[in-house]
Amino acid sequence: MTTVKPQNISQEANGATADRDRLRRETQERIRFLRRQLRMGMLGMVIFTALSAIAMLNARLLPPLSEKTRQFLGPSPPPTLISIALVVYVFSALTLILARMNREFGTYRGWSHLGYLTSFYVFYYYAGDLGESFWAVFVAGLTILGLENYRIWTSCSEALRDEEEILASLGD
Amino acid sequence: MTGRRGMFNNFAGRAIVPVAITMTGFVIVCSIILYNLIKKDLVNDTIYHEASLADTIIKATRYAMIKSDRETIDQIVVNIGQQEGVEFVRIFTCGGVIMISSDPAEQEVALGAGNAGCIGCHSGPEPENHLGPLEKARQFTNADGEKVIAITAPIYNEPACFNGACHYHSPSQKFLGILDIGLSQRTLENTLGTLRLQMIAFCLMILVLSVGGVSALLRVNVLSPIRSLMSYVGDVSRGQLDRTPPRGVEEVEYLSKAFLEMARDRSRCEEELEKYRPKDANMTS
């Protein structure tokens, strides 16, 4: 039969407190990460709206590119091809986001979509068709980023609730 | 926060929202692109039709031009200009002076090289000799607020012109003048307006069908069985062990049977405990 010394009891108590503190810190860190993901979703949407406003103003106010710039950059792809690329992109992006919904949790993937959507605005502007095709890109962006935000929101809010429960049980 | 969480935290919300966003967004994007393509095709068709009309006018006035019959040419141009949908018809010289027009007030008016009808060929340092029908066309809104598609067609010099007894054109002159014709886009705009409405109706129908279809399927196949399972579980946990388990969906049947067995086991255990309880009570007393 082993006897437990008071010194060991205090060491064990100190160890348990340290573990609890470490767990609390980790939980708080995870909560911060999840909240950051949620904020990123909203930020992505705001940036896309701002980019769309700029594209809309450019389509209406700015004159077409000068002949010299066009000669330097080369001929633009036909607007029909850009539209076909847009449809293919929207289809694949939505399919990937829906597939990602089946997984447990993922980080926010909206930044790459912001890049693609801005490229479509630029291509349409260069092809001189932004005025006609603005709404197609805008609705595509709202759909893709809206679905991505929904995915992040559902997964993050669930995980956030679990982490907050853990934090509460640790005695915040 | 709780309200929003509640709205999306049930089966219906979770299944309908992604489907509705995906279907509606994709259908709207495709509809806008399709509308733009159809619009371009219709505008191009109008331009080709207008180019053909310009050639017809040039051919119709050719004999009168060779005969230098100004009165007949005037009459043909005025008559065509009076047709519904034709905004203007005019013939001007390469120097930009309007010689004949459906609007008498325009006659003998000089147009600059920067005029919309001239800029197609005179945009560069050297005038273009040949332009395709699409390059020859221009779109603008006139003073009455009417959208107009106009096309310019060159009237080429030919042997019959410079060899005619009454004419003085030099054989080296390529063009004798330009025919400029403008057609109203009213019919085209009406067609596009109808197309827009049809596409909006189509998008709404897709939205209603997708959301309604998913909701109906969920209600029949998931929500109703889960509600009957919840009601059954509630009754069994209150002690109604003789209740018939819900039927129809395999998973729900399995869960209800498992729960019933668990409830029966618990009931048996409680009965056995009840048997021992009086003995214990006697022992303690």
Side-chain angles (χ1 to χ4, degrees), chain B residues 212-269:
Chain B
V214 171
S215 309
L217 284 173
L218 268 177
R219 196 181 165 79
V220 171
N221 295 323
V222 182
L223 296 181
S224 293
I226 284 178
R227 275 196 198 120
S228 28
L229 177 68
M230 281 164 69
S231 154
Y232 175 77
V233 165
D235 287 348
V236 169
S237 60
R238 278 191 293 273
Q240 295 178 26
L241 299 180
D242 54 342
R243 238 201 90 169
T244 321
R247 289 178 183 281
V249 182
E250 195 182 327
E251 290 87 348
V252 170
E253 278 180 20
Y254 176 79
L255 278 174
S256 50
K257 274 177 193 161
F259 191 80
L260 182 65
E261 276 173 26
M262 207 165 67
R264 279 182 180 154
D265 287 347
R266 187 187 143 194
S267 173
R268 266 197 300 275
C269 290

Side-chain angles (χ1 to χ4, degrees), chain A residues 79-80 83 86-87 90-91 94 98 101 124 129 132-133 135-136 139-140 143 146-147 150 153-154 157-158 161, chain B residues 1 4-5 8-9 13-15 17-19 21-26 28-30 32-33 35-37 39-40:
Chain A
T80 313
S83 299
L86 179 65
V87 171
V90 174
F91 180 78
L94 291 176
L98 287 174
M101 271 184 182
Y124 274 124
D129 202 48
E132 297 284 325
S133 304
W135 290 108
V139 176
T143 309
L147 196 64
Y150 176 78
W153 190 80
T154 46
S157 54
E158 260 177 39
R161 198 173 44 191
Chain B
M1 187 74 186
R4 275 189 295 164
R5 190 176 277 175
F8 293 116
N9 217 21
R14 286 191 171 214
V17 172
V19 174
I21 293 175
T22 310
M23 290 291 289
T24 315
F26 189 68
I28 290 176
V29 170
C30 289
I32 293 172
I33 288 171
Y35 171 79
N36 285 342
L37 290 176
K39 187 180 173 185
K40 264 177 207 153

Side-chain angles (χ1 to χ4, degrees), chain B residues 21-97:
Chain B
I21 293 175
T22 310
M23 290 291 289
T24 315
F26 189 68
V27 167
I28 290 176
V29 170
C30 289
S31 297
I32 293 172
I33 288 171
L34 190 64
Y35 171 79
N36 285 342
L37 290 176
I38 292 172
K39 187 180 173 185
K40 264 177 207 153
D41 283 348
L42 286 175
V43 169
N44 289 351
D45 278 352
T46 309
I47 290 168
Y48 283 118
H49 165 70
E50 208 168 335
S52 160
L53 184 64
D55 283 344
T56 308
I57 296 171
I58 291 169
K59 283 193 170 76
T61 53
R62 182 177 175 273
Y63 187 71
M65 281 182 187
I66 287 169
K67 291 287 173 190
S68 194
D69 186 353
R70 173 78 183 257
E71 197 183 340
T72 307
I73 302 169
D74 270 340
Q75 206 53 52
I76 291 170
V77 166
V78 168
N79 286 344
I80 292 169
Q82 283 171 349
Q83 268 198 305
E84 198 187 339
V86 178
E87 287 295 310
F88 59 82
V89 184
R90 56 197 184 192
I91 295 171
F92 51 87
T93 62
C94 294
V97 180

